Amino acid sequence: MYLELEPVSYGPGRSFASIVFEGRKFVCPYHRHPEFELVAIDASSGRLVSGDYTGTFQAGDVFFLGENLPHIFQNQIG
């Protein structure tokens, strides 16, 4: 897996960014960024690799990821 540096855009006068993915499947490459990340899973499931942790995620899960922590969310097919 190739680790990407993901740029996060804030906009003028903002201290955080918000991104919403619609649907049960989303694209998330293996990446890191200098910002903290709060992820709330509403309607998806699959596998999470974050640092040295490998586990699953499902609807209702919430994750708080640290700065520069390599991670990837991989959707479950089917």
Side-chain angles (χ1 to χ4, degrees), residues 19-64:
I19 301 171
V20 175
F21 295 97
E22 299 284 339
R24 297 182 54 84
K25 184 171 175 141
F26 54 91
V27 176
C28 175
Y30 187 51
H31 69 284
R32 68 173 183 84
H33 36 75
E35 298 82 10
F36 291 96
E37 182 173 359
L38 180 63
V39 178
I41 305 294
D42 184 47
S44 186
S45 63
R47 183 172 75 119
L48 166 64
V49 177
S50 178
D52 62 357
Y53 170 80
T54 300
T56 60
F57 67 89
Q58 62 187 5
D61 286 347
V62 176
F63 299 94
F64 184 70

Side-chain angles (χ1 to χ4, degrees), residues 60-74:
D61 286 347
V62 176
F63 299 94
F64 184 70
L65 306 173
E67 55 192 341
N68 289 309
L69 180 68
H71 57 282
I72 184 171
F73 289 86
Q74 296 175 315

